[in-house]
Each structure stands twice: as structure tokens, then as C-alpha cells.
Amino acid sequence: MDWNHYRFTTVWDLPVGPDTAFTALEHPEDYPRWWPQVRAVTRVDDSTATARFRSFLPYSLVVTLHRHRRDPAARILEAAMSGDLDGWARWTVTPRGGGSRIVYEQEVDVRTALLRRLAVPGRPVFRANHTLMMRSGRRGLTAWLRTV
């Protein structure tokens, strides 16, 4: 087992239509407005951005996101990630009842030296950190979409 390799799947059910949810997710530069753990997103060009994340643990991760896939008809957004995390992340938005189901999938390898050294004892804490960040994201996006 590679202790520095992570695969996450998170599901958010939101009370807004799938097109509304997809449109919000298409604009990562707005994420810091509704997702407290996304501290900054800076667009480099139309398909590239840098992002800084920090959840409850006292460290930040910085990644460069390169858009790999944008499919509005299927409501899929996918990006390759490099930097402190190398891998990919994907949003898939589908209708669910009168709202949306958003599935976030991520597969990454940790590249920061400190987190690699702490891989074995820290793994449960790192996974919990990710879970808390994702819960906060769901709450933040729900509130954000009520106001816009």
C-alpha cells in the first residue's frame, strides 16, 4: 500500500437545479467566497489556476489545476492537479428530485515532505481533515447559491 496515495469520493445533495450547481462549480475563483478552506484561487489563464487550501490542520496545500475536461451537457468538470498534490479531481452534477446530486472524486499522491513523513500515523487524521473540508464546502455552496 502506498500511504501517500489517496482516493476520495464525496456526495453532496443540494436543493438547487443541476445547471445552477454546475455553473457555480465552473468558477473556481469564487470558491473562497463560499468555501472557507479554499483560501485562494488565482486564474493563470482560461484553463489553469493555482489554489491554496487549509482545513483544520495547521498546514496549507498549494496546487496548480489544469482543466482536463469541461462537459456542460454531461455536467462534468475535471482537472489535473500538480504541486503539493499530484493527480486529478472531478465534479459530476446530476439531477436528484427537485435538486442536484454532486459527486466529487479525487485521486492524488501527496508530494509535500512533511506530510509524506507523517503518512502512516497521520493518514486517519488527513482523511478526517478532508472529510471536514468537504462538509464545509457543501454547507458553503448551499448558502452561496441561496444568495446569488
Side-chain angles (χ1 to χ4, degrees):
M1 174 177 196
D2 181 353
W3 292 95
N4 290 295
H5 183 83
Y6 290 85
R7 184 172 178 88
F8 299 103
T9 301
T10 303
V11 178
W12 295 349
D13 289 323
L14 289 144
V16 299
D19 291 332
T20 300
F22 182 79
T23 297
L25 294 171
E26 277 189 298
H27 300 283
E29 64 277 4
D30 287 337
Y31 288 19
R33 295 178 182 188
W34 54 265
W35 199 340
Q37 293 80 12
V38 179
R39 301 301 173 95
V41 176
T42 305
R43 283 254 187 210
V44 175
D45 58 36
D46 286 343
S47 62
T48 308
T50 59
R52 185 170 53 88
F53 309 98
R54 182 175 175 171
S55 193
F56 77 90
L57 293 176
Y59 67 86
S60 292
L61 296 172
V62 177
V63 298
T64 299
L65 303 164
H66 302 279
R67 183 174 56 220
H68 176 71
R69 180 177 179 195
R70 178 186 171 274
D71 185 341
R75 296 188 201 93
I76 296 172
L77 298 167
E78 187 172 325
M81 302 170 73
S82 60
D84 291 341
L85 302 173
D86 283 345
W88 58 269
R90 176 175 43 237
W91 296 106
T92 305
V93 182
T94 57
R96 176 165 166 83
S100 301
R101 171 156 284 178
I102 300 172
V103 177
Y104 178 77
E105 299 169 275
Q106 182 181 41
E107 188 166 348
V108 294
D109 292 304
V110 175
R111 296 293 179 217
T112 60
L114 175 62
L115 298 183
R116 290 181 70 79
R117 283 193 297 273
L118 296 172
V120 174
R123 190 172 181 87
V125 177
F126 300 156
R127 291 188 72 78
N129 190 60
H130 179 83
T131 297
L132 291 171
M133 179 178 170
M134 295 307 292
R135 284 183 190 160
S136 181
R138 180 186 46 79
R139 284 190 306 268
L141 182 56
T142 300
W144 169 260
L145 291 173
R146 285 185 186 134
T147 65
V148 292

